[in-house]
Amino acid sequence: MGATHLPATEFDGSAVDDQLEAEAEAALGEPAAQMVQLLGPDGRLGEDTVFSEYANRLDAAKLRGFYADMAAIRRFDQEATALQRQGQLALWVPLTGQEAAQIGSGRASQPQDYIFPTYREHGVALTRNVDLAELLRQFRGVSNGGWNPKDTNFHLYTLVLAAQTPHAVGYAMGIQRDQRLAEAAAAAGETAGQEPEPKAAVVVYFGDGASSEGDVHESMVFASSYNAPVVFFCQNNHWAISVPTAVQTRIPLSNRAKGYGFPGIRVDGNDVIAVHAVTEWALEHARQGNGPVLIEAFTYRVGAHTTADDPTKYRESSEEAMWRAKDPLERLEKYLRAEGLADDEFFAEVKADGDELAAYVRKTTYDLETPDIRSAFANTYVEAHPLVAEELAWFEEYSAGFAGEAEDEAGNR
């Protein structure tokens, strides 16, 4: 086969290819991937040529709301950890240190947007009005989920690393097609007099460790190829259990987006104002039909990966101390106080609200009842299935064999 008979490539390095690269480069900047930061650890607000415009939209009430959200979810995290230590939960996944990344991005989403979390996005759940007590059902082992995603557009937690990323892209492609059908119907005059549905996008969360999974690569290929309205939100908390980010990548994770032909942005994940601004920009970009965006929130997992983990075995306490000095709550408190946007009364009220939330979560957890195991058979298929019925009958017969032992044991007490 001669050279003239070889199949042509989709792009030949001409206008289309150059345009995609230019768009990614414009948002990415230099290969070193400068990090977007607006609110520094000292509590001072800086400037950014692109994202200060979004930060300026925030009024005092929203900024106080950010702090209240971060404080509430940290208090919830402490309570859930205590519940696990007391045997009330089988496992818990702490988020302390990542509050700004989650509250900032979650508050930037709109109700019509759909969120795909991993298993640590408790803060995002708060912003989507998920009852936090419902989060504990799965960790207590009494439910496969805990809430109805249709009520909040916040999907169930995904315990398998990166498994949610292809689901998110598929959902985004579905949104894209629904919007095209709606536009066609409007052009044909079929929806005259009706308010158009607001445009939506998808946000999918994953960690720096999950970024090494093939699912993430495949998802980004599909998202780029089909210009899907999806924002990939990577919380780079520096540790994939005991594996440091340096083993996951030799370049900033945000730089990977350029290889797929869409923008990648690295943001200070402990700066709630910058995270909100960057995510708001990314979601607008996606909703307007401009395709996907990758956000790398540069943050830190202060505590353990889960309550089954001991981080002292693989990292220095000095590293943890360095990141505690960048605490997202402390820097926002400094700013609110310096600008006269909040006083002692506000912070005392936030603390009281957090304690009230913790008490509610504790009581609700104690009140959770273990479901009858027969419900597992009933929920296997939508309709009755003969094989499941056969297995249930076997289980009933097997369980009946212990009835006499239970009666004898009770009589001997």
Side-chain angles (χ1 to χ4, degrees):
M1 178 183 291
T4 56
H5 296 96
L6 292 175
T9 57
E10 184 176 3
F11 300 126
D12 59 5
S14 58
V16 176
D17 201 10
D18 291 342
Q19 180 184 354
L20 288 173
E21 184 173 353
E23 289 175 355
E25 188 68 37
L28 181 65
E30 295 299 319
Q34 297 298 316
M35 185 167 65
V36 178
Q37 183 187 83
L38 294 174
L39 187 64
D42 59 0
R44 295 183 181 181
L45 191 63
E47 294 288 331
D48 183 272
T49 55
V50 175
F51 298 108
S52 285
E53 174 189 345
Y54 291 85
N56 293 337
R57 300 175 185 176
L58 299 172
D59 58 22
K62 287 185 178 179
L63 292 172
R64 285 193 295 267
F66 288 168
Y67 183 88
D69 286 344
M70 290 194 294
I73 206 62
R74 179 171 291 187
R75 183 66 183 88
F76 167 73
D77 190 37
Q78 293 168 346
E79 192 65 25
T81 299
L83 285 167
Q84 193 283 327
R85 296 306 190 202
Q86 294 161 11
Q88 298 299 321
L89 304 178
L91 183 75
W92 182 243
V93 185
L95 63 70
T96 297
Q98 299 179 220
E99 295 90 351
Q102 296 193 15
I103 297 302
S105 59
R107 287 298 180 196
S109 66
Q110 295 182 4
Q112 71 272 18
D113 298 325
Y114 199 92
I115 312 296
F116 283 86
T118 58
Y119 44 71
R120 200 188 301 274
E121 277 67 53
H122 323 314
V124 185
L126 171 67
T127 69
R128 302 298 292 189
N129 298 319
V130 174
D131 184 342
L132 294 181
E134 296 295 301
L135 287 177
L136 303 186
R137 288 180 175 273
Q138 186 173 26
F139 294 98
R140 192 173 169 88
V142 300
S143 171
N144 291 326
W147 62 94
N148 187 344
K150 294 180 180 179
D151 295 338
T152 58
N153 278 0
F154 183 79
H155 206 67
L156 296 176
Y157 275 1
T158 305
L159 302 183
V160 178
L161 282 185
Q164 73 279 9
T165 54
H167 301 161
V169 174
Y171 196 99
M173 291 169 65
I175 288 176
Q176 185 182 57
R177 282 152 178 74
D178 286 345
Q179 289 176 348
R180 287 175 182 170
L181 290 174
E183 290 168 0
E190 298 174 6
T191 57
Q194 300 179 19
E195 285 292 327
E197 292 288 332
K199 290 188 176 180
V202 170
V203 185
V204 56
Y205 290 84
F206 58 97
D208 49 296
S211 71
S212 296
E213 296 287 332
D215 306 56
V216 173
H217 165 74
E218 294 157 8
S219 300
M220 290 187 179
V221 169
F222 262 86
S224 179
S225 299
Y226 291 94
N227 214 42
V230 57
V231 175
F232 295 97
F233 196 96
C234 176
Q235 291 182 85
N236 180 358
N237 66 15
H238 283 73
W239 290 96
I241 310 182
S242 60
V243 180
T245 307
V247 177
Q248 308 290 340
T249 179
R250 295 188 177 184
I251 63 171
L253 288 168
S254 58
N255 280 13
R256 291 184 178 180
K258 186 177 179 181
Y260 301 103
F262 55 80
I265 306 170
R266 172 179 270 197
V267 62
D268 182 348
N270 287 18
D271 174 1
V272 68
I273 296 177
V275 171
H276 186 273
V278 166
T279 309
E280 189 173 14
W281 176 89
L283 282 167
E284 287 180 1
H285 180 94
R287 292 192 205 102
Q288 291 167 3
N290 296 319
V293 178
L294 168 62
I295 297 174
E296 177 194 358
F298 199 71
T299 183
Y300 192 77
R301 167 172 54 79
V302 173
H305 173 70
T306 71
T307 47
D309 171 46
D310 180 4
T312 64
K313 300 295 184 182
Y314 54 80
R315 71 186 189 193
E316 300 290 337
S317 58
S318 58
E319 177 183 303
E320 181 182 323
M322 179 187 72
W323 277 93
R324 284 190 180 277
K326 303 176 182 180
D327 184 86
L329 275 77
E330 289 183 6
R331 71 170 70 180
L332 184 56
E333 179 178 351
K334 291 176 184 176
Y335 177 74
L336 292 174
R337 289 186 181 276
E339 296 296 317
L341 303 178
D343 54 17
D344 289 341
E345 183 179 354
F346 166 77
F347 292 106
E349 183 179 343
V350 167
K351 183 181 183 305
D353 290 343
D355 291 340
E356 184 179 342
L357 171 64
Y360 162 72
V361 167
R362 176 170 289 273
K363 181 182 184 306
T364 304
T365 301
Y366 283 156
D367 291 344
L368 289 176
E369 296 181 358
T370 302
D372 191 318
I373 195 172
R374 293 163 183 79
S375 64
F377 294 92
N379 295 331
T380 303
Y381 294 106
V382 174
E383 298 178 355
H385 193 284
L387 291 180
V388 175
E390 181 181 336
E391 291 173 352
L392 174 59
W394 177 89
F395 172 77
E396 296 283 12
E397 182 181 354
Y398 175 76
S399 300
F402 295 96
E405 294 181 13
E407 293 174 0
D408 291 342
E409 183 178 344
N412 293 330
R413 287 177 182 173

